[in-house]
Amino acid sequence: PQTIQHLTKLQHMDLGYNALVTLPTEIGHLTNLTYLSIKMNNTLESLPRELNKLIKLDRFMIDSSQEKYIPINMPCPHTICTF
């Protein structure tokens, strides 16, 4: 939802085990996010380029089948955990 952009102080987000098809582009406004999990979203079809704006992201939890959706210019988190 568009209201996600107002959660600018959010540091930890776990969206795992949902039926997400994509993430909202507004996720790029969560610039204090250090942890993001999208694992076990088997219906995921893409990831927004706005993930590039998550410069504080330290841990990115994804399934190995989702690696192909990581934006090319995304700052590399210290840890990308795949399952």
Side-chain angles (χ1 to χ4, degrees), residues 2-52:
Q2 291 180 340
T3 55
I4 195 173
Q5 66 187 359
H6 301 295
L7 303 173
T8 56
K9 295 185 180 186
L10 187 68
Q11 296 179 353
H12 183 107
M13 180 179 279
D14 190 336
L15 299 174
Y17 299 90
N18 286 289
L20 300 175
V21 176
T22 189
L23 298 178
T25 58
E26 290 81 11
I27 200 166
H29 293 279
L30 307 181
T31 54
N32 285 308
L33 207 59
T34 60
Y35 175 92
L36 176 60
S37 175
I38 58 170
K39 62 185 180 182
M40 299 306 293
N41 280 289
N42 299 330
T43 55
L44 194 67
E45 295 177 358
S46 65
L47 293 174
R49 285 184 293 192
E50 285 75 12
L51 286 176
N52 294 337

